[in-house]
Amino acid sequence: EILNQYFETILSVFNRYNITVDKFIGDGILAYVESDEQSAAENNIAAVQACIEANQQLAELNKKFKSENLPELRMGASVYRGPLVIGMIGAKEKMQYTI
């Protein structure tokens, strides 16, 4: 339940910045900005602003958790800009669309 609340909070931020969530990996989120409507610089700014806002929203969520005697969560974020591969990856038995 704690992680679900965390994911809901972070995804609401990502949605405001047109960030696509590729997948959840344990308690992590793999996401990317891919917008033909914005320049590379604008995409970079959106990614960084989303990370900043996500940290701010997590601070608010942690206040709620504290009032409910739940553990505090921490997050880290990495932003990468450069070439990547996006598409169907895997084997005949299991394929997935990912970056």
Side-chain angles (χ1 to χ4, degrees):
E1 181 57 34
I2 291 170
L3 279 178
N4 289 340
Q5 289 182 52
Y6 167 71
F7 289 145
E8 186 174 324
T9 298
I10 301 307
L11 265 58
S12 69
V13 173
F14 285 3
N15 287 336
R16 286 194 290 279
Y17 290 92
N18 295 318
I19 294 175
T20 301
V21 171
D22 182 71
K23 67 181 70 138
F24 300 107
I25 306 169
D27 62 354
I29 303 170
L30 177 61
Y32 60 93
V33 180
E34 182 182 47
S35 173
D36 295 333
E37 298 172 9
Q38 298 182 134
S39 68
E42 290 170 321
N43 286 339
N44 294 344
I45 290 167
V48 172
Q49 287 176 330
C51 291
I52 291 168
E53 187 176 331
N55 258 315
Q56 293 167 341
Q57 292 300 313
L58 180 57
E60 292 302 312
L61 183 60
N62 276 328
K63 288 178 187 176
K64 177 181 178 278
F65 286 165
K66 185 176 182 176
S67 73
E68 297 172 357
N69 293 320
L70 295 172
E72 179 179 297
L73 299 181
R74 294 177 297 162
M75 68 171 273
S78 297
V79 177
Y80 167 78
R81 180 71 190 167
L84 59 86
V85 175
I86 188 167
M88 296 300 293
I89 298 174
K92 289 179 184 176
E93 294 81 22
K94 177 162 176 48
M95 298 288 289
Q96 68 183 53
Y97 186 82
T98 188
I99 60 172

